[in-house]
């Protein structure tokens, strides 16, 4: 006679959580709680599973909105000394290429080889400038407030339970939970990450810190995170400093450096990173943080050195490879840049931007057999009109390089057809019009950079892109 042995539901839920099947874990815990509402283990496990579904790494999330910038009451020096401010990086340092060679963002920072939130930030002087400045990676629409993102994420907690939220925060006795370390930490992460109730999370962290007699470094870090989210940067600095006095931890150094970057104190942030390296030698995240600050301050030589140190520890670090490759390209070393971009391709990075960079590197390295095929791959992988405009703009430069100005004219027209605000395409198109002696068109193109094109024939309605690529292919066959 065979006896069927069923697995313990709580162990099954725990196993599902370990395998990152959080929805299944939550469903099993919900069934257990319906049978036994006071099961603390099932309650804690379900809280943890719901949090992991929407968990966001606070270290990497750093983007200021217009409201956060213009309504900030912290006093910042209007004229900072050279090399001491991220908002006014000034001219190139340490032999880096000038802005005429390497493109700059509207906030004055050099365009990096890797898109990250910190490179998109800047502090405009007026509201009009803030609205006009592109704030996101894929669109020019300004981010009104960074806190809006957290609010929208927090509403996702309602989707996990059709009857409402799992925990009713208004009825919680925070003082009771603060005395239970096995439940309070899970509850805090649920409130902070999923419900996005920063004030309630701050109250719970303050009570738990007091119950721990101000000796628990973990709660001090959470207090610092709450203060940072609320814009109280000096209070966050005190909490992170106090947490480091109790326990050395990599994330704490990253949070503290993030505070100093928001306060526009890059030198102090560099010192914090170097203090962290004293306790955690060759830590990749700390080395990457130092390299990012040097790059944002336009000190490319130091940034490249630290990115190379990152690759010595982690030779698959995509950001370091991309940034080093970008720096070599803008310092007239396309052959070396090509090696780094091919490394990214071997690692499985497969997107439009990579093939676009490969096409440019192949062209300037005189490897014409791979140039056009790379751009064709890039055109096949585009996901937005802005990306397509950039590729046709680069193809226009390729056409100029092979002395076919007619094809270049068509490519720049296509770039404007996909992106009416492409300033570089307007500029190059005006140069081509000037070479043809069409002075009146130059004035129209100049005004079109600030407004819509006046003439109706500015944008091609019926352009055979395949014919343009075919003509380019025939040119490359003769090289």
């Amino acid at each position: 006679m065979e006896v069927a042995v069923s697995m313990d539901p709580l162990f099954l839920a725990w196993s599902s959580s370990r395998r990152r099947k959080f929805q299944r874990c939550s469903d099993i815990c919900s069934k257990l709680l319906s049978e036994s509402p006071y099961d603390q283990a099932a309650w804690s496990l379900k809280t943890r599973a719901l949090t992991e579904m929407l968990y966001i790494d606070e270290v990497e999330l750093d983007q200021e909105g217009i409201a956060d910038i213009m309504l900030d009451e912290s006093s910042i020096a209007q004229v900072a000394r050279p090399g001491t401010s991220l908002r006014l990086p000034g001219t190139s340092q340490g032999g880096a290429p000038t802005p005429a060679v390497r493109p700059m963002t509207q906030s004055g920072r050099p365009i990096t080889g890797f898109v990250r939130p910190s490179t998109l930030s800047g502090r405009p002087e007026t509201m009009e400038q803030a609205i006009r400045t592109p704030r996101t990676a894929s669109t020019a629409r300004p981010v009104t407030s960074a806190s809006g993102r957290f609010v929208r994420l927090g509403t996702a907690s309602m989707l996990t339970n059709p009857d409402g939220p799992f925990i009713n925060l208004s009825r919680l006795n925070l003082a009771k939970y603060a005395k239970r370390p096995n439940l309070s930490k899970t509850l805090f992460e649920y409130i902070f990450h999923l419900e996005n109730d920063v004030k309630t999370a701050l109250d719970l962290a303050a009570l738990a810190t007091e119950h721990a007699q101000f000796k628990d470094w973990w709660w001090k870090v959470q207090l610092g995170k709450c203060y940072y989210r609320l814009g109280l940067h000096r209070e966050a600095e005190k909490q992170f400093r106090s947490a480091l006095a109790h326990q050395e931890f990599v994330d704490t150094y990253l949070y503290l450096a993030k505070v100093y970057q928001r306060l526009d104190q890059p030198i102090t942030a560099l010192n914090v990173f170097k203090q962290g390296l004293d306790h955690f030698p060759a830590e990749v995240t700390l080395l990457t943080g130092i390299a990012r600050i040097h790059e944002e301050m336009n000190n490319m030589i130091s940034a490249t050195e630290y990115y190379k140190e990152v690759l010595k520890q982690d030779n698959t670090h995509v950001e370091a490879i991309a940034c080093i490759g970008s720096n070599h390209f803008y310092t007239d070393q396309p052959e070396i840049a090509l090696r780094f971009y091919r490394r990214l391709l071997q690692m499985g990075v497969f997107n439009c931007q990579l093939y676009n960079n490969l096409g440019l590197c192949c062209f300037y390295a005189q490897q014409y057999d791979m140039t056009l095929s790379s751009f064709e791959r890039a055109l096949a992988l585009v996901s937005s009109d802005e990306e397509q405009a950039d590729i046709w703009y680069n193809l226009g430069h390729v056409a100029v390089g092979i002395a076919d100005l007619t094809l270049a004219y068509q490519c720049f027209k296509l770039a404007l057809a996909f992106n009416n605000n492409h300033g570089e395409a307007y500029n190059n198109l005006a140069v081509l019009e000037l070479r043809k002696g069409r002075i009146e068109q130059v004035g129209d193109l100049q005004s079109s950079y600030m407004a819509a094109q006046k003439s109706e024939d500015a944008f091609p309605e019926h352009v055979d892109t395949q014919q343009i690529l075919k003509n380019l292919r025939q040119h490359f066959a003769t090289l």
Side-chain angles (χ1 to χ4, degrees):
M1 180 178 179
E2 295 182 1
V3 178
V5 179
S6 60
M7 183 178 296
D8 181 32
L10 184 62
F11 179 81
L12 182 60
W14 176 81
S15 176
S16 300
S17 177
R18 291 291 300 271
R19 287 177 286 139
R20 302 193 65 81
K21 297 181 179 180
F22 299 118
Q23 187 60 52
R24 185 184 180 191
C25 173
S26 175
D27 295 339
I28 297 174
C29 292
S30 298
K31 185 177 180 180
L32 290 174
L33 289 172
S34 63
E35 299 172 357
S36 178
Y38 297 102
D39 189 342
Q40 294 185 7
W43 183 88
S44 179
L45 188 57
K46 180 178 179 180
T47 305
R48 184 66 181 171
L50 293 175
T51 305
E52 288 291 340
M53 289 183 191
L54 296 174
Y55 179 81
I56 299 176
D57 188 1
E58 292 288 316
V59 174
E60 293 294 334
L61 191 64
D62 187 13
Q63 187 172 3
E64 294 180 88
I66 295 178
D68 306 308
I69 295 174
M70 304 308 296
L71 302 180
D72 188 7
E73 296 181 353
S74 58
S75 178
I76 302 294
Q78 297 297 324
V79 183
R81 290 179 294 173
T84 61
S85 174
L86 292 173
R87 293 159 189 168
L88 297 171
T91 58
S92 60
Q93 305 173 17
T98 63
V101 177
R102 183 164 190 163
M104 293 283 182
T105 63
Q106 293 190 15
S107 59
R109 296 183 180 183
I111 292 180
T112 61
F114 192 84
V115 175
R116 49 182 178 266
S118 60
T119 59
L120 304 173
S121 61
R123 184 165 290 267
E125 298 296 332
T126 62
M127 178 64 76
E128 182 181 1
Q129 184 181 358
I131 294 175
R132 289 186 176 181
T133 303
R135 309 291 298 173
T136 60
S138 59
T139 178
R141 181 180 63 84
V143 175
T144 55
S145 175
S147 59
R149 175 179 180 178
F150 300 112
V151 173
R152 289 190 293 273
L153 289 175
T155 57
S157 63
M158 301 295 293
L159 302 178
T160 58
N161 289 284
D163 299 331
F166 171 54
I167 299 175
N168 193 342
L169 301 182
S170 61
R171 297 183 180 180
L172 283 181
N173 186 356
L174 298 180
K176 181 182 72 172
Y177 282 96
K179 298 178 182 179
R180 300 181 180 181
N182 56 337
L183 297 178
S184 57
K185 293 184 178 181
T186 305
L187 179 61
F188 172 85
E189 292 186 342
Y190 176 89
I191 297 173
F192 185 81
H193 292 286
L194 195 136
E195 293 291 346
N196 188 42
D197 193 341
V198 182
K199 293 183 179 180
T200 303
L202 179 63
D203 294 338
L204 177 60
L207 292 171
T209 304
E210 184 179 357
H211 180 263
Q213 299 179 355
F214 305 97
K215 296 181 181 179
D216 192 335
W217 67 273
W218 191 88
W219 281 113
K220 292 186 177 183
V221 171
Q222 308 314 312
L223 278 172
K225 289 166 61 176
C226 291
Y227 284 131
Y228 182 86
R229 184 80 72 85
L230 293 172
L232 304 174
H233 300 127
R234 288 302 179 184
E235 286 75 6
E237 175 194 1
K238 294 177 182 177
Q239 295 298 330
F240 291 138
R241 288 284 187 186
S242 180
L244 286 175
H246 289 282
Q247 177 69 39
E248 302 286 345
F249 201 65
V250 176
D251 280 3
T252 312
Y253 283 107
L254 296 175
Y255 286 128
L256 185 58
K258 184 178 172 182
V259 170
Y260 287 123
Q261 286 178 269
R262 181 59 65 88
L263 292 173
D264 194 23
Q265 297 180 7
I267 305 300
T268 309
L270 287 175
N271 293 333
V272 170
F273 281 127
K274 291 176 181 178
Q275 291 174 10
L277 288 175
D278 293 337
H279 295 88
F280 302 96
E283 172 61 35
V284 172
T285 53
L286 298 175
L287 291 171
T288 305
I290 296 176
R292 287 177 179 178
I293 293 180
H294 281 301
E295 191 172 26
E296 291 172 12
M297 296 175 67
N298 206 11
N299 191 355
M300 295 302 170
I301 293 181
S302 298
T304 304
E305 291 177 357
Y306 278 101
Y307 278 130
K308 289 180 179 179
E309 288 295 325
V310 170
L311 290 182
K312 289 180 182 178
Q313 307 301 324
D314 181 10
N315 57 7
T316 61
H317 199 279
V318 175
E319 180 179 350
I321 296 174
C323 291
I324 293 176
S326 175
N327 185 54
H328 281 300
F329 177 80
Y330 285 117
T331 52
D332 295 330
Q333 296 174 321
E335 301 88 353
I336 303 177
L338 185 60
R339 292 171 50 192
F340 286 94
Y341 288 129
R342 288 179 59 188
R343 170 64 176 165
L344 289 177
L345 198 62
Q346 294 169 354
M347 289 169 51
V349 180
F350 190 79
N351 55 30
C352 162
Q353 292 81 2
L354 178 58
Y355 278 106
N356 177 72
N357 294 349
L358 282 170
L360 288 174
C361 290
C362 289
F363 177 73
Y364 287 107
Q366 299 181 2
Q367 298 185 14
Y368 302 118
D369 54 336
M370 294 294 295
T371 301
L372 198 57
S373 60
S374 297
F375 281 118
E376 288 177 342
R377 286 285 187 90
L379 285 172
L381 294 173
V382 293
S383 58
S384 64
D385 289 343
E386 288 79 8
E387 292 178 356
Q388 195 147 357
D390 288 336
I391 295 173
W392 282 111
Y393 171 75
N394 290 331
L395 281 171
H397 270 286
V398 172
V400 171
I402 60 177
D404 193 333
L405 301 184
T406 303
L407 279 177
Y409 186 86
Q410 293 176 339
C411 291
F412 291 138
K413 284 279 190 177
L414 280 171
L416 293 177
F418 289 108
N419 184 6
N420 192 24
N421 297 320
H422 204 292
E424 294 87 351
Y426 278 119
N427 179 78
N428 293 351
L429 203 57
V431 173
L432 293 179
E433 295 283 8
L434 187 62
R435 288 175 64 95
K436 293 180 180 180
R438 300 169 62 180
I439 307 298
E440 68 280 357
Q441 291 292 333
V442 176
D444 288 341
L445 289 169
Q446 184 178 4
S447 60
S448 297
Y449 179 59
M450 304 301 296
Q453 177 61 276
K454 296 179 181 179
S455 58
E456 295 181 357
D457 61 344
F459 307 108
E461 295 182 359
H462 302 286
V463 178
D464 190 356
T465 58
Q466 296 298 326
Q467 183 63 35
I468 295 178
L469 292 175
K470 182 179 179 180
N471 294 339
L472 285 171
R473 197 177 293 109
Q474 292 175 355
H475 278 290
F476 279 113
T478 61
L479 295 177

